[in-house]
């Protein structure tokens, strides 16, 4: 269909009309099981009644006033997030990229306050931090950066899940102020690092006076089976960014900080007109309250294990599958070949999925997925993947 949108997305020929829980319906009335949740956004499912009620009530009261005035909804949300994450302060923006921009600015200011004129932030290969100039420069994927040079300076790239290289950087470079890393790489292919990776990064940051900054935009809000993925490692970062599931679809991002880092940004150093307005905070508060009440992170841990077990069983012995892994409800089925075509095949079969890093089927279902929905996802997607691989094998032979 011709339209006046900038051509930034290759879209599937699907128009979602309405949605409920784990299902969406297109304008032809076809139903899809949503195993992607709007890319890890609608973690409580679509049209969750608590979120819908909170948004509707707040919309009738007050949508926006700007950050020139006190916003009690923002203050309450900040208190609750800080309690959950054991952090001290929050800046609210409108997206993941903006949350990371706040973190990057915070780290630079932190460095300048320590007398470092050219502050550097360590970032990793395969990472994804957003599409603004600073966040795409931090991102470890040339495809995201190509054509947008000159990139923002001040990032030092190291391999993911490699502590030794960072230790070497610490010895050679006096300008490092922070490490910015995803606890599990999402866009990069659901890459789960060694269990002690974050613990070691915490130690290196402590030894060198660096900030440990975790991008939990995809991993946060219960996605990996804990409120925040770093809680698996029992460490606390200095800075953590959130977005995606925080608003269950309402655009909100957050940059949380702890200790000295919590006091770095001061009036005049950062801001956002919309950031944390009453409407989005009401949605996020409903998300926090509902997830607390329903113990959603623990449910995600249980269901994630069930899904990985289920796929491992149904796809056992299937040639072309190289790995099935997950942490909570961040699940990957890795193939030995490019498989972007699976997205359309799955959609034809009534399943919304994603393929990332070329050959990784990425599943990010709602965290409150029901048993029978999980069973349907496992059996139906396994048929699609098996069909794709067998057809592919026949063509090759
Ligand atoms: N960081 C991570 C880990 C992400 O997965 C994403 C989005 O996929 C972003 C940052 C950027 O978030 P947004 O698209 O809301 O700017």
């Amino acid at each position: 269909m011709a339209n006046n949108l900038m051509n930034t997305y290759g879209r599937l020929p699907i128009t979602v009309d309405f949605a409920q829980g784990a299902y969406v319906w297109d304008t032809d009335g076809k139903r899809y099981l949503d195993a992607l949740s709007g890319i890890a956004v609608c973690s409580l499912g679509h049209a969750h009644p608590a979120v819908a009620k909170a948004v509707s009530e707040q919309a009738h009261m007050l949508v926006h006033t700007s950050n020139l005035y006190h916003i009690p909804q923002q203050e309450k949300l900040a208190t609750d997030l800080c309690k959950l994450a054991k952090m001290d302060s929050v800046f609210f923006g409108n997206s993941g990229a903006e949350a990371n921009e706040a973190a990057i600015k915070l780290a630079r200011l932190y460095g300048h306050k320590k007398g470092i004129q050219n502050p550097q932030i360590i970032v990793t290969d395969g990472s994804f931090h957003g599409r603004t100039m600073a966040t795409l420069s931090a991102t470890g994927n040339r495809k995201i950066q190509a054509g947008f040079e000159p990139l923002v300076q001040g990032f030092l790239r190291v391999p993911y899940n490699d502590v030794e290289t960072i230790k070497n950087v610490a010895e050679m470079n006096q300008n490092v102020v922070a490490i910015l890393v995803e606890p599990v790489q999402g866009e990069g292919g659901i890459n789960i690092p060694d269990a002690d990776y974050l613990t070691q990064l915490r130690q290196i940051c402590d030894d060198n006076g660096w900030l440990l900054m975790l991008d939990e935009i995809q991993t946060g809000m219960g996605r990996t089976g804990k409120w925040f993925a770093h809680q698996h490692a029992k460490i606390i970062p200095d800075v953590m960014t959130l977005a995606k599931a925080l608003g269950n679809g309402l655009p909100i991002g957050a940059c949380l900080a702890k200790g000295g880092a919590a006091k770095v940004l001061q009036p005049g150093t950062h801001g956002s007109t919309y950031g944390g307005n009453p409407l989005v905070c009401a949605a996020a508060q409903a998300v926090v309250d509902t997830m607390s009440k329903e113990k959603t992170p623990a449910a995600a841990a249980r269901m994630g294990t069930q899904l990985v077990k289920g796929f491992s069983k149904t796809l056992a012995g299937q040639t072309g599958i190289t790995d099935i892994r997950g942490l909570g409800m961040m699940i990957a089925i890795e193939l030995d070949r490019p498989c972007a075509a699976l997205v359309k095949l799955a959609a034809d079969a009534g399943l919304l999925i994603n393929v990332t890093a070329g050959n990784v089927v990425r599943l990010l279902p709602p965290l409150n997925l029901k048993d029978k929905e999980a069973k349907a996802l496992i059996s139906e997607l396994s048929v699609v993947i098996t069909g794709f691989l067998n057809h592919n094998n026949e063509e090759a032979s």
Side-chain angles (χ1 to χ4, degrees):
M1 189 188 6
N3 63 44
N4 296 105
L5 297 174
M6 279 202 195
N7 194 20
T8 51
Y9 291 97
R11 298 174 198 265
L12 286 167
I14 296 173
T15 306
V16 176
D17 195 20
F18 65 97
Q20 184 75 58
Y23 289 98
V24 309
W25 284 260
D26 72 12
T27 41
D28 296 326
K30 178 173 171 174
R31 189 180 81 158
Y32 302 81
L33 179 52
D34 187 358
L36 191 57
S37 313
I39 323 182
V41 168
C42 299
S43 284
L44 286 174
H46 296 277
H48 190 284
V51 181
K53 181 167 180 278
V55 169
S56 158
E57 285 178 2
Q58 189 59 50
H60 282 92
M61 279 289 287
L62 178 69
V63 170
H64 179 82
T65 56
S66 90
N67 282 300
L68 298 176
Y69 313 104
H70 284 278
I71 301 176
Q73 294 85 350
Q74 205 184 95
E75 290 169 21
K76 165 88 168 87
L77 179 62
T79 303
D80 289 359
L81 288 175
C82 283
K83 214 176 273 175
L84 287 171
K86 299 194 169 66
M87 312 265 309
D88 296 327
S89 70
V90 188
F91 172 83
F92 288 108
N94 311 288
S95 66
E98 282 177 76
N100 283 337
E101 284 279 344
I104 291 163
K105 283 181 68 177
L106 189 159
R108 285 187 167 199
L109 204 50
Y110 168 81
H112 280 283
K113 285 187 172 164
K114 289 208 307 185
I116 297 173
Q117 298 307 313
N118 182 21
Q120 307 280 311
I121 299 172
I122 293 178
V123 290
T124 64
D125 288 332
S127 62
F128 183 79
H129 298 297
R131 298 281 195 162
T132 59
M133 276 312 304
T135 58
L136 77 81
S137 301
T139 288
N141 179 345
R142 273 302 296 156
K143 275 197 210 149
I144 305 283
Q145 299 171 336
F148 298 108
E149 296 81 4
L151 301 180
V152 173
Q153 300 292 297
F155 297 105
L156 291 173
R157 198 162 303 288
V158 300
Y160 190 60
N161 197 23
D162 175 351
V163 173
E164 288 312 310
T165 305
I166 297 180
K167 285 184 179 164
N168 291 339
V169 172
E171 278 179 20
M172 314 281 288
N173 192 321
Q174 301 306 309
N175 289 328
V176 176
V177 293
I179 301 176
L180 173 63
V181 69
E182 293 160 86
V184 174
Q185 287 186 333
E187 304 296 310
I190 315 277
N191 300 321
I192 305 168
D194 295 341
D196 65 349
Y197 182 53
L198 291 186
T199 325
Q200 294 211 53
L201 295 189
R202 178 69 276 173
Q203 190 61 51
I204 294 170
C205 286
D206 288 344
D207 292 346
N208 292 281
W210 302 347
L211 301 178
L212 178 59
M213 308 206 297
L214 298 183
D215 178 341
E216 293 244 21
I217 286 160
Q218 195 161 142
T219 54
M221 304 309 292
R223 174 58 57 186
T224 69
K226 300 266 186 201
W227 274 102
F228 310 107
H230 66 262
Q231 292 171 335
H232 290 283
K234 300 191 170 58
I235 55 123
I236 303 177
D238 301 293
V239 175
M240 169 173 74
T241 52
L242 298 174
K244 289 196 181 277
L246 179 57
N248 211 61
L250 273 283
I252 180 169
C255 174
L256 287 79
K258 183 172 179 64
K263 300 187 190 81
V264 171
L265 295 176
Q266 291 293 325
T269 54
H270 198 47
S272 161
T273 299
Y274 292 126
N277 81 15
L279 186 73
V280 296
C281 285
Q285 189 67 52
V287 169
V288 168
D289 292 346
T290 305
M291 286 188 170
S292 302
K293 196 170 98 198
E294 297 180 359
K295 299 190 171 47
T296 305
R302 274 194 306 277
M303 182 53 81
T305 306
Q306 208 169 303
L307 285 169
V308 169
K309 264 194 198 155
F311 280 113
S312 302
K313 203 166 152 197
T314 53
L315 293 171
Q318 172 65 49
T319 50
I321 306 278
T322 51
D323 194 24
I324 298 174
R325 59 179 176 273
L327 189 63
M329 295 281 262
M330 261 180 116
I331 293 163
I333 302 170
E334 188 171 321
L335 273 58
D336 64 358
R337 65 199 76 181
C339 60
L342 272 172
V343 173
K344 171 78 169 51
L345 293 172
D348 290 345
L351 301 167
L352 300 187
I353 63 157
N354 173 251
V355 168
T356 192
N359 64 330
V360 178
V361 176
R362 177 172 55 158
L363 303 178
L364 301 162
L367 305 183
N368 52 9
L369 196 72
K370 297 186 179 78
D371 280 339
K372 68 172 192 312
E373 294 162 347
K375 276 189 193 137
L377 175 60
I378 293 163
S379 62
E380 291 166 23
L381 184 56
S382 295
V383 169
V384 173
I385 293 174
T386 307
F388 168 78
L389 285 169
N390 290 344
H391 178 71
N392 229 240
N393 286 339
E394 270 169 31
E395 274 189 348
S397 62

